[in-house]
Amino acid sequence: DTGVSQDPRHKITKRGQNVTFRCDPISEHNRLYWYRQTLGQGPEFLTYFQNEAQLEKSRLLSDRFSAERPKGSFSTLEIQRTEQGDSAMYLCASSLERELFFGSGTQLSVL
Amino acid sequence: GEDVEQSLFLSVREGDSSVINCTYTDSSSTYLYWYKQEPGAGLQLLTYIFSNMDMKQDQRLTVLLNKKDKHLSLRIADTQTGDSAIYFCAESKDYGQNFVFGPGTRLSVLP
């Protein structure tokens, strides 16, 4: 499978816990994006990497969110001290040129 | 600021044509996209158009762009039940967070 893969597919956690998601982009893609999607909405930009450098981060993104892309390959998104409002689908996408290719997402439920 | 708008729902009968509309505000957008999302899945790129084009056809899909009115449409010919999904319009002028999605149009195909 040469698509974008995300792990886990589903995560249920209690409020206040930390969670970490992983994204493996298409291997030759140097750009990687994280988006958040809530029910009935389009994807909302969170952050963007070119290779290992985090070039952009949404101003709406809380300090509880952090993302890394060591060595410019896979990426992780960590949410600390989760809140119920963090419940959403977290989507990863990668690109080489102008087209974004999305993974299937991680559905986070915070109880 | 950048904004992308779509009607939220569309119902058509199997075999008819579907037309999904989108308006955007950023006249400097250079690429406009249509993505499809099925339940529980990530977004799948259907097609995209450069802003210097006014039409693109790809099998059952026809994209029309009216740059003057900032209006984009996606026509699906001979709509099938497998076309039932949420369709997102998106615009970009550069990499990173300038990739903006609309709220999505839920297409229901009736037998």
Side-chain angles (χ1 to χ4, degrees):
Chain A
D1 186 6
T2 58
V4 177
S5 63
Q6 292 188 245
D7 183 68
R9 288 296 311 274
H10 304 275
K11 178 71 177 178
I12 300 173
T13 191
K14 291 184 178 178
R15 190 176 54 185
Q17 298 294 305
N18 299 343
V19 294
T20 300
F21 309 141
R22 178 181 170 122
C23 171
D24 287 90
I26 295 171
S27 58
E28 64 267 25
H29 287 184
N30 59 345
R31 296 181 181 88
L32 187 147
Y33 306 77
W34 285 98
Y35 283 82
R36 177 171 60 192
Q37 186 180 24
T38 53
L39 201 61
Q41 301 295 319
E44 173 191 29
F45 172 81
L46 294 179
T47 190
Y48 157 61
F49 291 85
Q50 183 166 326
N51 300 313
E52 66 277 7
Q54 187 175 18
L55 296 187
E56 292 183 36
K57 189 174 175 182
S58 170
R59 286 168 292 177
L60 303 175
L61 204 59
S62 159
D63 290 343
R64 297 183 295 106
F65 287 69
S66 62
E68 293 182 344
R69 193 184 182 197
K71 303 178 184 177
S73 55
F74 72 92
S75 175
T76 57
L77 177 69
E78 182 183 16
I79 309 173
Q80 296 182 324
R81 305 181 302 283
T82 52
E83 301 173 357
Q84 287 184 322
D86 297 331
S87 295
M89 172 80 85
Y90 290 84
L91 294 166
C92 176
S94 69
S95 75
L96 187 60
E97 297 293 335
R98 295 289 182 178
E99 304 168 36
L100 291 188
F101 293 86
F102 281 85
S104 298
T106 294
Q107 181 68 52
L108 173 66
S109 299
V110 182
L111 305 178
Chain B
E2 301 160 348
D3 199 11
V4 178
E5 295 183 352
Q6 300 177 240
S7 53
L8 297 183
F9 301 98
L10 176 66
S11 291
V12 299
R13 294 227 172 258
E14 191 173 12
D16 288 350
S17 293
S18 308
V19 179
I20 303 171
N21 295 302
C22 167
T23 57
Y24 60 98
T25 57
D26 191 347
S27 57
S28 63
S29 293
T30 54
Y31 298 86
L32 296 132
Y33 304 79
W34 285 104
Y35 279 84
K36 176 183 180 183
Q37 187 177 36
E38 297 185 57
L43 278 69
Q44 173 196 356
L45 176 67
L46 289 177
T47 187
Y48 65 95
I49 189 168
F50 299 143
S51 60
N52 62 358
M53 299 169 64
D54 52 19
M55 186 182 93
K56 181 178 180 181
Q57 188 155 1
D58 184 2
Q59 298 182 342
R60 293 190 298 122
L61 306 179
T62 303
V63 178
L64 295 178
L65 174 61
N66 182 328
K67 199 174 177 184
K68 173 176 169 290
D69 294 337
K70 302 190 192 69
H71 182 266
L72 183 74
S73 68
L74 174 69
R75 178 177 180 270
I76 306 173
D78 187 25
T79 313
Q80 303 297 306
T81 54
D83 295 323
S84 293
I86 301 175
Y87 290 80
F88 292 95
C89 170
E91 61 170 354
S92 78
K93 56 186 176 187
D94 203 347
Y95 302 112
Q97 66 181 320
N98 290 314
F99 210 106
V100 178
F101 288 86
T105 299
R106 181 180 295 274
L107 174 64
S108 299
V109 182
L110 308 173

